[in-house]
Amino acid sequence: MSFATRLRARAALLASPLRLSSSAPTPSSALSSSSALLRGASLAAPLMLALLAAPVQADERPQIRVMAAASLHDALDAIEARYERLADVDIMPVYASSSTLARQLANGAPAQLYLSANERWMDWLEQQAGIVVTGRHDLLGNRLALVAPGPSQLDASVSNAEDVTDVAERLAATGSNTRLAVGDPDHVPAGIYARQSLEALGQWQTLRSRLASAEDVRAALALVEHGEAPLGIVYATDAAISHRVHQIGLLPDSSHDPIHYPAALISRGGDAPSTQAEAFAAWLSSNEAGAIFHRFGFSTLAHQASAAQPDAD
């Protein structure tokens, strides 16, 4: 709350009707009290007028509500910190599985920008009544990684690890009752990609009954970090940011659909996206934003060297 707002609250208190005590005062004390109140009111009146006439100062900066895939958490937090300093706005991110976020948006959740971890859920959202998707473009790319518990020595910029194709054999070597941690392959993008890859490698039927399905890719990563699963399939960017897993290798790119992150502005009810949201969406494709995404291991697909910088005032 701003200083001016606090002063106005004090002025409103001074101007509010007086509440009389339930005990009956004596005539002399009533007269004395009345005189004191009149003197107080005469002194307070100029102050109240001055305070109520003070210019209004906004308590909050413009807000940009963003819904983003769970795998973007660390990178987008860094993006948020940088952009808020540049543009004097507040970015309000929500992270979850792309499927969960798409359903929430369809049910009326407020957000101006949606970043999905696959095309499917952006396609689905575009088909929902009352939702207007504009400015859609593929922003980022990623890889699938096989990970195991233990410290990671990987640099987030390293993406040339060798392909791994013997997932079923590696899981069998960990025991007969162990499980492979993945995002739920029915709706979580990382799990959908993992299923496609295992099907292409001819290992899906062997492994489908040994999956530990999680609500999103970060939950799958957590199962491996905590030793609850000896192996997991997550994004390479997740493997790179965790100090509690190590990357065994990357699943072949050719074994699944390209991992693209589409971004789009969201509006409903005939309202256009705010100018602040449009500016932020455009800045995500700038050189500066691209450098941050690269630092967290993402590839950039919509890199615009000439993207305008926001005003910093």
Side-chain angles (χ1 to χ4, degrees):
M1 182 182 291
S2 69
F3 179 66
T5 303
R6 289 195 296 271
L7 289 178
R8 284 192 191 84
R10 177 61 177 164
L13 180 62
L14 290 173
S16 62
L18 294 172
R19 295 186 177 181
L20 297 179
S21 170
S22 58
S23 60
T26 63
S28 59
S29 64
L31 180 60
S32 175
S33 298
S34 297
S35 299
L37 288 172
L38 288 173
R39 286 195 302 273
S42 64
L43 292 173
L47 174 62
M48 288 186 290
L49 290 174
L51 292 175
L52 293 173
V56 176
Q57 296 181 8
D59 289 338
E60 296 180 350
R61 302 184 296 180
Q63 294 183 347
I64 304 172
R65 297 184 179 273
V66 179
M67 287 193 167
S71 52
L72 288 168
H73 199 308
D74 298 84
L76 207 57
D77 277 356
I79 289 282
E80 169 194 344
R82 176 56 181 156
Y83 192 79
E84 285 182 343
R85 292 195 298 270
L86 289 174
D88 196 30
V89 297
D90 284 330
I91 298 173
M92 315 290 287
V94 174
Y95 303 105
S97 168
S98 300
S99 57
T100 298
L101 297 176
R103 293 188 183 110
Q104 289 178 348
L105 285 167
N107 288 329
Q112 298 160 286
L113 185 64
Y114 174 48
L115 288 83
S116 174
N118 73 352
E119 307 281 355
R120 168 181 166 180
W121 284 108
M122 187 69 80
D123 292 343
W124 180 87
L125 188 61
E126 284 187 304
Q127 298 168 5
Q128 304 309 300
I131 298 288
V132 179
V133 175
T134 56
R136 174 178 174 173
H137 61 283
D138 288 339
L139 180 67
L140 303 169
N142 211 336
R143 294 287 306 270
L144 281 185
L146 183 67
V147 296
S152 174
Q153 303 299 323
L154 294 175
D155 185 309
S157 65
V158 175
S159 60
N160 59 348
E162 293 184 3
D163 287 347
V164 59
T165 59
D166 55 348
V167 181
E169 181 180 342
R170 289 175 181 271
L171 186 65
T174 66
S176 59
N177 296 317
T178 55
R179 294 184 176 273
L180 175 68
V182 296
D184 190 326
D186 288 333
H187 67 90
V188 176
I192 294 171
Y193 294 128
R195 175 174 179 167
Q196 290 175 349
S197 184
L198 293 174
E199 286 178 337
L201 296 173
Q203 300 173 40
W204 173 250
Q205 293 303 324
T206 301
L207 292 172
R208 64 182 303 177
S209 63
R210 298 186 63 178
L211 300 181
S213 297
E215 63 183 9
D216 59 44
V217 71
R218 287 298 174 88
L221 177 67
L223 290 175
V224 182
E225 287 179 325
H226 297 145
E228 297 178 33
L231 293 174
I233 296 177
V234 297
Y235 294 121
T237 51
D238 297 311
I241 58 94
S242 176
H243 298 293
R244 301 175 67 180
V245 304
H246 67 273
Q247 180 175 299
I248 296 173
L250 298 172
L251 277 70
D253 251 345
S254 58
S255 66
H256 55 77
D257 290 341
I259 301 176
H260 290 169
Y261 289 69
L265 292 161
I266 306 297
S267 57
R268 52 172 58 86
D271 295 331
S274 69
T275 55
Q276 292 89 355
E278 290 177 336
F280 179 55
W283 187 81
L284 290 177
S285 296
S286 69
N287 281 340
E288 187 170 6
I292 296 174
F293 284 126
H294 288 157
R295 177 155 52 91
F296 286 90
F298 291 93
S299 59
T300 49
L301 306 177
H303 199 58
Q304 300 173 358
S306 59
Q309 293 292 327
D311 293 334
D313 53 15

PDB file of all heavy atoms in Angstrom, residues 11 25 30 54 57 96 108 111 124-126 131 140 143 150-151 159 172 176 210 218 238 255 265 270-271 277 287 297:
ATOM      1  N   ALA A  11      -7.398   9.907   6.668  1.00  0.00           N
ATOM      2  CA  ALA A  11      -8.328  11.014   6.477  1.00  0.00           C
ATOM      3  C   ALA A  11      -9.763  10.530   6.520  1.00  0.00           C
ATOM      4  O   ALA A  11     -10.645  11.182   7.081  1.00  0.00           O
ATOM      5  CB  ALA A  11      -8.044  11.707   5.143  1.00  0.00           C
ATOM      6  N   PRO A  25     -23.161  11.176  29.571  1.00  0.00           N
ATOM      7  CA  PRO A  25     -22.262  12.154  30.181  1.00  0.00           C
ATOM      8  C   PRO A  25     -23.034  13.188  30.981  1.00  0.00           C
ATOM      9  O   PRO A  25     -24.213  13.410  30.749  1.00  0.00           O
ATOM     10  CB  PRO A  25     -21.571  12.781  28.974  1.00  0.00           C
ATOM     11  CG  PRO A  25     -22.588  12.685  27.884  1.00  0.00           C
ATOM     12  CD  PRO A  25     -23.359  11.419  28.145  1.00  0.00           C
ATOM     13  N   ALA A  30     -20.359  16.965  28.847  1.00  0.00           N
ATOM     14  CA  ALA A  30     -20.836  16.956  27.458  1.00  0.00           C
ATOM     15  C   ALA A  30     -20.428  18.233  26.767  1.00  0.00           C
ATOM     16  O   ALA A  30     -20.023  18.241  25.600  1.00  0.00           O
ATOM     17  CB  ALA A  30     -22.350  16.761  27.420  1.00  0.00           C
ATOM     18  N   ALA A  54      -4.858  14.830  -2.559  1.00  0.00           N
ATOM     19  CA  ALA A  54      -3.524  14.401  -2.999  1.00  0.00           C
ATOM     20  C   ALA A  54      -3.637  13.530  -4.229  1.00  0.00           C
ATOM     21  O   ALA A  54      -4.598  12.796  -4.403  1.00  0.00           O
ATOM     22  CB  ALA A  54      -2.840  13.624  -1.875  1.00  0.00           C
ATOM     23  N   GLN A  57      -1.693   7.530  -6.363  1.00  0.00           N
ATOM     24  CA  GLN A  57      -0.525   6.787  -6.819  1.00  0.00           C
ATOM     25  C   GLN A  57      -0.882   5.316  -6.860  1.00  0.00           C
ATOM     26  O   GLN A  57      -1.395   4.758  -5.893  1.00  0.00           O
ATOM     27  CB  GLN A  57       0.650   6.992  -5.877  1.00  0.00           C
ATOM     28  CG  GLN A  57       1.135   8.441  -5.831  1.00  0.00           C
ATOM     29  CD  GLN A  57       2.321   8.580  -4.902  1.00  0.00           C
ATOM     30  OE1 GLN A  57       2.856   7.596  -4.418  1.00  0.00           O
ATOM     31  NE2 GLN A  57       2.735   9.803  -4.648  1.00  0.00           N
ATOM     32  N   ALA A  96       2.635 -25.579 -14.474  1.00  0.00           N
ATOM     33  CA  ALA A  96       1.999 -26.889 -14.312  1.00  0.00           C
ATOM     34  C   ALA A  96       2.142 -27.619 -15.636  1.00  0.00           C
ATOM     35  O   ALA A  96       2.761 -27.117 -16.588  1.00  0.00           O
ATOM     36  CB  ALA A  96       0.529 -26.744 -13.919  1.00  0.00           C
ATOM     37  N   GLY A 108     -11.799 -20.612 -17.754  1.00  0.00           N
ATOM     38  CA  GLY A 108     -11.887 -19.224 -17.339  1.00  0.00           C
ATOM     39  C   GLY A 108     -10.743 -18.693 -16.514  1.00  0.00           C
ATOM     40  O   GLY A 108     -10.808 -17.554 -16.041  1.00  0.00           O
ATOM     41  N   ALA A 111      -5.314 -15.421 -17.692  1.00  0.00           N
ATOM     42  CA  ALA A 111      -3.926 -15.392 -18.163  1.00  0.00           C
ATOM     43  C   ALA A 111      -3.908 -14.696 -19.506  1.00  0.00           C
ATOM     44  O   ALA A 111      -4.866 -14.774 -20.285  1.00  0.00           O
ATOM     45  CB  ALA A 111      -3.347 -16.791 -18.270  1.00  0.00           C
ATOM     46  N   TRP A 124      -5.621 -27.726 -29.048  1.00  0.00           N
ATOM     47  CA  TRP A 124      -6.856 -27.983 -28.321  1.00  0.00           C
ATOM     48  C   TRP A 124      -7.455 -26.694 -27.786  1.00  0.00           C
ATOM     49  O   TRP A 124      -8.663 -26.462 -27.876  1.00  0.00           O
ATOM     50  CB  TRP A 124      -6.573 -28.957 -27.171  1.00  0.00           C
ATOM     51  CG  TRP A 124      -7.783 -29.292 -26.340  1.00  0.00           C
ATOM     52  CD1 TRP A 124      -8.689 -30.280 -26.573  1.00  0.00           C
ATOM     53  CD2 TRP A 124      -8.210 -28.621 -25.137  1.00  0.00           C
ATOM     54  NE1 TRP A 124      -9.652 -30.279 -25.592  1.00  0.00           N
ATOM     55  CE2 TRP A 124      -9.382 -29.275 -24.691  1.00  0.00           C
ATOM     56  CE3 TRP A 124      -7.712 -27.556 -24.395  1.00  0.00           C
ATOM     57  CZ2 TRP A 124     -10.072 -28.883 -23.546  1.00  0.00           C
ATOM     58  CZ3 TRP A 124      -8.396 -27.159 -23.249  1.00  0.00           C
ATOM     59  CH2 TRP A 124      -9.554 -27.816 -22.839  1.00  0.00           C
ATOM     60  N   LEU A 125      -6.595 -25.823 -27.227  1.00  0.00           N
ATOM     61  CA  LEU A 125      -7.086 -24.576 -26.650  1.00  0.00           C
ATOM     62  C   LEU A 125      -7.702 -23.682 -27.723  1.00  0.00           C
ATOM     63  O   LEU A 125      -8.722 -23.019 -27.482  1.00  0.00           O
ATOM     64  CB  LEU A 125      -5.945 -23.854 -25.945  1.00  0.00           C
ATOM     65  CG  LEU A 125      -6.334 -22.619 -25.126  1.00  0.00           C
ATOM     66  CD1 LEU A 125      -7.297 -22.991 -24.003  1.00  0.00           C
ATOM     67  CD2 LEU A 125      -5.094 -21.940 -24.563  1.00  0.00           C
ATOM     68  N   GLU A 126      -7.106 -23.668 -28.904  1.00  0.00           N
ATOM     69  CA  GLU A 126      -7.636 -22.842 -29.990  1.00  0.00           C
ATOM     70  C   GLU A 126      -9.042 -23.246 -30.394  1.00  0.00           C
ATOM     71  O   GLU A 126      -9.796 -22.430 -30.932  1.00  0.00           O
ATOM     72  CB  GLU A 126      -6.709 -22.925 -31.208  1.00  0.00           C
ATOM     73  CG  GLU A 126      -5.432 -22.114 -31.073  1.00  0.00           C
ATOM     74  CD  GLU A 126      -4.635 -22.091 -32.358  1.00  0.00           C
ATOM     75  OE1 GLU A 126      -4.308 -23.172 -32.874  1.00  0.00           O
ATOM     76  OE2 GLU A 126      -4.342 -20.986 -32.861  1.00  0.00           O
ATOM     77  N   ILE A 131     -12.367 -18.678 -26.397  1.00  0.00           N
ATOM     78  CA  ILE A 131     -10.924 -18.434 -26.274  1.00  0.00           C
ATOM     79  C   ILE A 131     -10.384 -17.915 -27.609  1.00  0.00           C
ATOM     80  O   ILE A 131     -10.632 -18.517 -28.654  1.00  0.00           O
ATOM     81  CB  ILE A 131     -10.163 -19.713 -25.884  1.00  0.00           C
ATOM     82  CG1 ILE A 131     -10.629 -20.226 -24.520  1.00  0.00           C
ATOM     83  CG2 ILE A 131      -8.663 -19.480 -25.885  1.00  0.00           C
ATOM     84  CD1 ILE A 131     -10.176 -19.383 -23.356  1.00  0.00           C
ATOM     85  N   LEU A 140      10.504 -22.320 -28.507  1.00  0.00           N
ATOM     86  CA  LEU A 140      11.658 -23.054 -27.999  1.00  0.00           C
ATOM     87  C   LEU A 140      11.645 -24.514 -28.432  1.00  0.00           C
ATOM     88  O   LEU A 140      10.608 -25.040 -28.836  1.00  0.00           O
ATOM     89  CB  LEU A 140      11.677 -22.997 -26.462  1.00  0.00           C
ATOM     90  CG  LEU A 140      11.699 -21.616 -25.815  1.00  0.00           C
ATOM     91  CD1 LEU A 140      11.438 -21.731 -24.324  1.00  0.00           C
ATOM     92  CD2 LEU A 140      13.019 -20.919 -26.087  1.00  0.00           C
ATOM     93  N   ARG A 143      15.021 -31.546 -25.755  1.00  0.00           N
ATOM     94  CA  ARG A 143      15.324 -32.954 -26.004  1.00  0.00           C
ATOM     95  C   ARG A 143      14.830 -33.792 -24.835  1.00  0.00           C
ATOM     96  O   ARG A 143      14.610 -33.284 -23.743  1.00  0.00           O
ATOM     97  CB  ARG A 143      16.836 -33.168 -26.157  1.00  0.00           C
ATOM     98  CG  ARG A 143      17.476 -32.526 -27.372  1.00  0.00           C
ATOM     99  CD  ARG A 143      17.142 -33.222 -28.681  1.00  0.00           C
ATOM    100  NE  ARG A 143      17.436 -34.650 -28.679  1.00  0.00           N
ATOM    101  CZ  ARG A 143      18.602 -35.196 -29.045  1.00  0.00           C
ATOM    102  NH1 ARG A 143      19.612 -34.395 -29.414  1.00  0.00           N
ATOM    103  NH2 ARG A 143      18.768 -36.514 -29.069  1.00  0.00           N
ATOM    104  N   GLY A 150      21.728 -39.288  -8.615  1.00  0.00           N
ATOM    105  CA  GLY A 150      23.142 -39.011  -8.426  1.00  0.00           C
ATOM    106  C   GLY A 150      23.503 -37.628  -8.895  1.00  0.00           C
ATOM    107  O   GLY A 150      22.782 -37.017  -9.693  1.00  0.00           O
ATOM    108  N   PRO A 151      24.622 -37.095  -8.424  1.00  0.00           N
ATOM    109  CA  PRO A 151      25.034 -35.739  -8.807  1.00  0.00           C
ATOM    110  C   PRO A 151      25.220 -35.598 -10.312  1.00  0.00           C
ATOM    111  O   PRO A 151      25.668 -36.528 -10.987  1.00  0.00           O
ATOM    112  CB  PRO A 151      26.362 -35.554  -8.068  1.00  0.00           C
ATOM    113  CG  PRO A 151      26.323 -36.554  -6.963  1.00  0.00           C
ATOM    114  CD  PRO A 151      25.546 -37.721  -7.491  1.00  0.00           C
ATOM    115  N   SER A 159      24.506 -30.167 -25.160  1.00  0.00           N
ATOM    116  CA  SER A 159      23.345 -30.889 -25.685  1.00  0.00           C
ATOM    117  C   SER A 159      23.766 -31.983 -26.662  1.00  0.00           C
ATOM    118  O   SER A 159      22.957 -32.468 -27.431  1.00  0.00           O
ATOM    119  CB  SER A 159      22.402 -29.913 -26.398  1.00  0.00           C
ATOM    120  OG  SER A 159      23.075 -29.278 -27.467  1.00  0.00           O
ATOM    121  N   ALA A 172      15.640 -53.127 -16.440  1.00  0.00           N
ATOM    122  CA  ALA A 172      15.665 -54.514 -15.970  1.00  0.00           C
ATOM    123  C   ALA A 172      16.882 -54.760 -15.079  1.00  0.00           C
ATOM    124  O   ALA A 172      16.818 -55.537 -14.116  1.00  0.00           O
ATOM    125  CB  ALA A 172      15.671 -55.467 -17.160  1.00  0.00           C
ATOM    126  N   SER A 176      13.566 -56.323 -10.533  1.00  0.00           N
ATOM    127  CA  SER A 176      12.326 -56.776 -11.189  1.00  0.00           C
ATOM    128  C   SER A 176      11.112 -55.931 -10.835  1.00  0.00           C
ATOM    129  O   SER A 176      10.101 -55.971 -11.540  1.00  0.00           O
ATOM    130  CB  SER A 176      12.050 -58.237 -10.811  1.00  0.00           C
ATOM    131  OG  SER A 176      11.930 -58.370  -9.392  1.00  0.00           O
ATOM    132  N   ARG A 210       5.475 -50.823 -16.150  1.00  0.00           N
ATOM    133  CA  ARG A 210       6.503 -50.494 -15.152  1.00  0.00           C
ATOM    134  C   ARG A 210       6.754 -48.983 -15.072  1.00  0.00           C
ATOM    135  O   ARG A 210       7.817 -48.537 -14.652  1.00  0.00           O
ATOM    136  CB  ARG A 210       7.806 -51.230 -15.464  1.00  0.00           C
ATOM    137  CG  ARG A 210       7.658 -52.751 -15.408  1.00  0.00           C
ATOM    138  CD  ARG A 210       8.996 -53.443 -15.569  1.00  0.00           C
ATOM    139  NE  ARG A 210       9.916 -53.108 -14.475  1.00  0.00           N
ATOM    140  CZ  ARG A 210      11.142 -53.619 -14.374  1.00  0.00           C
ATOM    141  NH1 ARG A 210      11.600 -54.462 -15.310  1.00  0.00           N
ATOM    142  NH2 ARG A 210      11.928 -53.278 -13.357  1.00  0.00           N
ATOM    143  N   ARG A 218       8.297 -32.202 -13.936  1.00  0.00           N
ATOM    144  CA  ARG A 218       9.073 -31.915 -12.735  1.00  0.00           C
ATOM    145  C   ARG A 218       8.754 -32.915 -11.617  1.00  0.00           C
ATOM    146  O   ARG A 218       9.613 -33.246 -10.803  1.00  0.00           O
ATOM    147  CB  ARG A 218       8.830 -30.485 -12.274  1.00  0.00           C
ATOM    148  CG  ARG A 218       9.493 -29.432 -13.174  1.00  0.00           C
ATOM    149  CD  ARG A 218      11.003 -29.608 -13.180  1.00  0.00           C
ATOM    150  NE  ARG A 218      11.698 -28.738 -14.100  1.00  0.00           N
ATOM    151  CZ  ARG A 218      12.121 -27.513 -13.806  1.00  0.00           C
ATOM    152  NH1 ARG A 218      11.899 -27.005 -12.618  1.00  0.00           N
ATOM    153  NH2 ARG A 218      12.766 -26.808 -14.715  1.00  0.00           N
ATOM    154  N   ASP A 238      15.647 -30.299 -17.778  1.00  0.00           N
ATOM    155  CA  ASP A 238      15.405 -30.695 -16.387  1.00  0.00           C
ATOM    156  C   ASP A 238      16.635 -31.395 -15.819  1.00  0.00           C
ATOM    157  O   ASP A 238      17.024 -31.171 -14.674  1.00  0.00           O
ATOM    158  CB  ASP A 238      14.189 -31.620 -16.298  1.00  0.00           C
ATOM    159  CG  ASP A 238      12.907 -30.952 -16.748  1.00  0.00           C
ATOM    160  OD1 ASP A 238      12.640 -29.833 -16.292  1.00  0.00           O
ATOM    161  OD2 ASP A 238      12.170 -31.541 -17.559  1.00  0.00           O
ATOM    162  N   SER A 255      12.910 -40.491 -32.835  1.00  0.00           N
ATOM    163  CA  SER A 255      11.976 -41.459 -32.274  1.00  0.00           C
ATOM    164  C   SER A 255      10.680 -40.827 -31.762  1.00  0.00           C
ATOM    165  O   SER A 255       9.790 -41.540 -31.292  1.00  0.00           O
ATOM    166  CB  SER A 255      12.654 -42.236 -31.134  1.00  0.00           C
ATOM    167  OG  SER A 255      12.941 -41.381 -30.037  1.00  0.00           O
ATOM    168  N   LEU A 265      -0.652 -15.349 -27.199  1.00  0.00           N
ATOM    169  CA  LEU A 265      -1.452 -14.457 -26.367  1.00  0.00           C
ATOM    170  C   LEU A 265      -2.861 -15.018 -26.261  1.00  0.00           C
ATOM    171  O   LEU A 265      -3.399 -15.577 -27.223  1.00  0.00           O
ATOM    172  CB  LEU A 265      -1.492 -13.056 -26.971  1.00  0.00           C
ATOM    173  CG  LEU A 265      -0.156 -12.295 -26.957  1.00  0.00           C
ATOM    174  CD1 LEU A 265      -0.175 -11.156 -27.968  1.00  0.00           C
ATOM    175  CD2 LEU A 265       0.128 -11.759 -25.556  1.00  0.00           C
ATOM    176  N   GLY A 270     -14.023 -10.788 -26.296  1.00  0.00           N
ATOM    177  CA  GLY A 270     -13.838  -9.630 -27.161  1.00  0.00           C
ATOM    178  C   GLY A 270     -12.745  -8.682 -26.712  1.00  0.00           C
ATOM    179  O   GLY A 270     -12.476  -7.687 -27.385  1.00  0.00           O
ATOM    180  N   ASP A 271     -12.107  -8.971 -25.568  1.00  0.00           N
ATOM    181  CA  ASP A 271     -11.032  -8.112 -25.072  1.00  0.00           C
ATOM    182  C   ASP A 271      -9.715  -8.451 -25.773  1.00  0.00           C
ATOM    183  O   ASP A 271      -9.342  -9.619 -25.859  1.00  0.00           O
ATOM    184  CB  ASP A 271     -10.853  -8.277 -23.562  1.00  0.00           C
ATOM    185  CG  ASP A 271     -12.073  -7.798 -22.784  1.00  0.00           C
ATOM    186  OD1 ASP A 271     -12.751  -6.898 -23.294  1.00  0.00           O
ATOM    187  OD2 ASP A 271     -12.326  -8.335 -21.689  1.00  0.00           O
ATOM    188  N   ALA A 277       1.268  -7.163 -22.269  1.00  0.00           N
ATOM    189  CA  ALA A 277       1.401  -8.586 -22.592  1.00  0.00           C
ATOM    190  C   ALA A 277       1.956  -8.766 -24.001  1.00  0.00           C
ATOM    191  O   ALA A 277       2.785  -9.650 -24.243  1.00  0.00           O
ATOM    192  CB  ALA A 277       0.045  -9.281 -22.463  1.00  0.00           C
ATOM    193  N   ASN A 287      17.063 -11.236 -28.666  1.00  0.00           N
ATOM    194  CA  ASN A 287      18.399 -11.767 -28.399  1.00  0.00           C
ATOM    195  C   ASN A 287      18.629 -11.986 -26.911  1.00  0.00           C
ATOM    196  O   ASN A 287      19.202 -13.002 -26.492  1.00  0.00           O
ATOM    197  CB  ASN A 287      19.465 -10.798 -28.927  1.00  0.00           C
ATOM    198  CG  ASN A 287      19.659 -10.906 -30.424  1.00  0.00           C
ATOM    199  OD1 ASN A 287      19.309 -11.901 -31.021  1.00  0.00           O
ATOM    200  ND2 ASN A 287      20.206  -9.857 -31.011  1.00  0.00           N
ATOM    201  N   GLY A 297      19.529 -24.385 -21.388  1.00  0.00           N
ATOM    202  CA  GLY A 297      19.571 -25.566 -22.234  1.00  0.00           C
ATOM    203  C   GLY A 297      18.537 -25.643 -23.336  1.00  0.00           C
ATOM    204  O   GLY A 297      18.502 -26.633 -24.072  1.00  0.00           O
TER     205      GLY A 297
END
